[in-house]
Amino acid sequence: MFEASPTGLVRNPNVWRLLWRGLRLRPADFALGGDRDPELLGDLAHPFASVEDVSTRLGTLEAALVERSDRRAVFLTVYTEMTAQTAREIDAGSFDDPEWMRRYLVRFAEHYRRAFVGFERGEYADVPDPWLVAFGSAVGGDALVIQDAFLGINAHIVYDLALALSAIGLDPGRKTKYADHRRIDAILARLVAVQRELLAERYAPGLEAVGEGMGGLDERWSTSTLRRAREFAWRTAVVRTDARWSAVRSSTGWLLSRTATGGASVLLSPTASPSTMRTLRAIEATEFELESYARAFHGRAVDGGASIER
């Protein structure tokens, strides 16, 4: 577990590894032109007002991206389902502080909305580096779909989450809020598992032909990785909340940006062999279709859903 202090945040060797990777990657290389489709911004001009508003507008955006075969939809398919399932758990009384959880979902989604709008308008100075890499990769089409999916998860959890938590506040009742924060782990882990399984099924015929696995591409966001990332987000939010100096808040913002960018660098550097990568790209070019994937994901996610434990 990470120590909730400025020095404790950087004491973990993995943080240093990600920082080093994040300093070497050039996010500006992923700035791929703005105003590609102004219609996408129609529903996103204003901040989200409620959980229901988040679900409705993100669902509309997901449908629009799927219709355009825009691979930014792959992350959004997971995210809309996570929001919907968490909202159902709030209504079912699964959280100790339901009102805080509603603010949590809305503020978290607001970070995504602002990043998407900035990227779509070509206002790249307003787009956090991890999102610039994630969106640019998806639009450019050079990475695999599974990489684009995890790039979005990386940006939203490693960068956005701590900022959202510190913005909505951890007090009063910090221990209760922490317990509610941890309860979301089960929902997200289940959805990421569905995503990995579904993508692995799509890739399976080609991988069987070359006799190889996915080189760890399907394991970059395991349950334990998700838990560590969300724990790091909480600890960073604690440091930002308890900070007495503005320099701590600015330095932790920089740390989040660089580590998330480093995570993107790792995701863009697969260990799979060149022949396996060529095979996976060939499968995507001829057999992967966003609409059927999104439909299958939502169906399987709902069928496999279960109430979280308190």
Side-chain angles (χ1 to χ4, degrees):
M1 184 169 291
F2 296 101
E3 178 187 342
S5 69
T7 56
L9 293 177
V10 297
R11 197 168 289 164
N12 187 282
N14 188 54
V15 171
W16 283 101
R17 182 175 69 95
L18 294 178
L19 278 173
W20 180 76
R21 296 290 296 257
L23 291 169
R24 296 183 66 199
L25 189 66
R26 284 175 44 85
D29 292 342
F30 295 83
L32 301 176
D35 294 324
R36 286 174 299 278
D37 193 344
E39 292 183 9
L40 288 176
L41 298 177
D43 260 1
L44 297 177
H46 305 292
F48 293 121
S50 65
V51 173
E52 294 75 16
D53 187 31
V54 170
S55 294
T56 298
R57 286 201 272 164
L58 287 186
T60 299
L61 178 60
E62 181 202 2
L65 293 175
V66 167
E67 182 181 7
R68 291 158 172 78
S69 296
D70 187 321
R71 284 176 21 176
R72 287 176 291 178
V74 180
F75 163 74
L76 200 52
T77 293
V78 178
Y79 187 38
T80 55
E81 191 64 48
M82 189 206 79
T83 301
Q85 292 200 14
T86 304
R88 286 195 290 272
E89 295 292 351
I90 292 173
D91 293 339
S94 299
F95 296 100
D96 293 321
D97 192 338
E99 183 55 37
W100 184 77
M101 285 304 307
R102 292 187 182 94
R103 297 201 308 273
Y104 183 125
L105 289 183
V106 172
R107 187 71 183 210
F108 197 28
E110 187 62 17
H111 282 272
Y112 174 82
R113 185 195 70 83
R114 292 199 301 259
F116 187 92
V117 169
F119 184 86
E120 197 62 23
R121 288 175 174 168
E123 297 170 352
Y124 300 122
D126 297 331
V127 181
D129 286 348
W131 277 120
L132 189 55
V133 176
F135 291 143
S137 173
V139 170
D142 294 328
L144 295 170
V145 167
I146 194 168
Q147 291 172 289
D148 289 328
F150 290 141
L151 284 168
I153 292 171
N154 169 73
H156 207 33
I157 293 178
V158 180
Y159 181 71
D160 290 344
L161 184 53
L163 300 177
L165 285 167
S166 57
I168 63 173
L170 308 183
D171 300 308
R174 186 177 294 193
K175 291 181 67 173
T176 297
K177 290 177 171 63
Y178 175 70
D180 281 346
H181 168 74
R182 298 278 15 157
R183 289 185 177 106
I184 297 180
D185 290 356
I187 298 173
L188 185 57
R190 184 172 64 244
L191 294 179
V192 170
V194 169
Q195 181 189 62
R196 287 202 315 267
E197 292 166 5
L198 194 57
L199 288 170
E201 290 171 9
R202 296 293 199 270
Y203 293 132
L207 292 175
E208 290 170 359
V210 296
E212 294 188 33
M214 295 178 67
L217 282 168
D218 57 338
E219 298 173 354
R220 292 292 175 88
W221 282 96
S222 64
T223 299
S224 60
T225 303
L226 285 165
R227 285 185 61 85
R228 287 195 301 270
R230 288 177 48 78
E231 178 68 19
F232 183 74
W234 178 270
R235 296 288 168 172
T236 306
V238 168
V239 170
R240 291 172 62 83
T241 299
D242 296 344
R244 298 181 180 180
W245 301 283
S246 59
V248 173
R249 295 182 67 85
S250 61
S251 62
T252 51
W254 178 88
L255 177 68
L256 292 169
S257 177
R258 291 306 94 207
T259 52
T261 304
S265 174
V266 172
L267 289 166
L268 290 170
S269 305
T271 58
S273 68
S275 62
T276 296
M277 295 299 290
R278 286 194 297 270
T279 298
L280 295 174
R281 289 191 177 97
I283 293 170
E284 288 190 356
T286 59
E287 300 180 24
F288 188 87
E289 198 266 323
L290 276 176
E291 184 176 1
S292 64
Y293 165 78
R295 186 167 56 249
F297 178 88
H298 286 301
R300 193 173 299 189
V302 171
D303 291 341
S307 295
I308 60 178
E309 296 182 3
R310 294 190 59 175

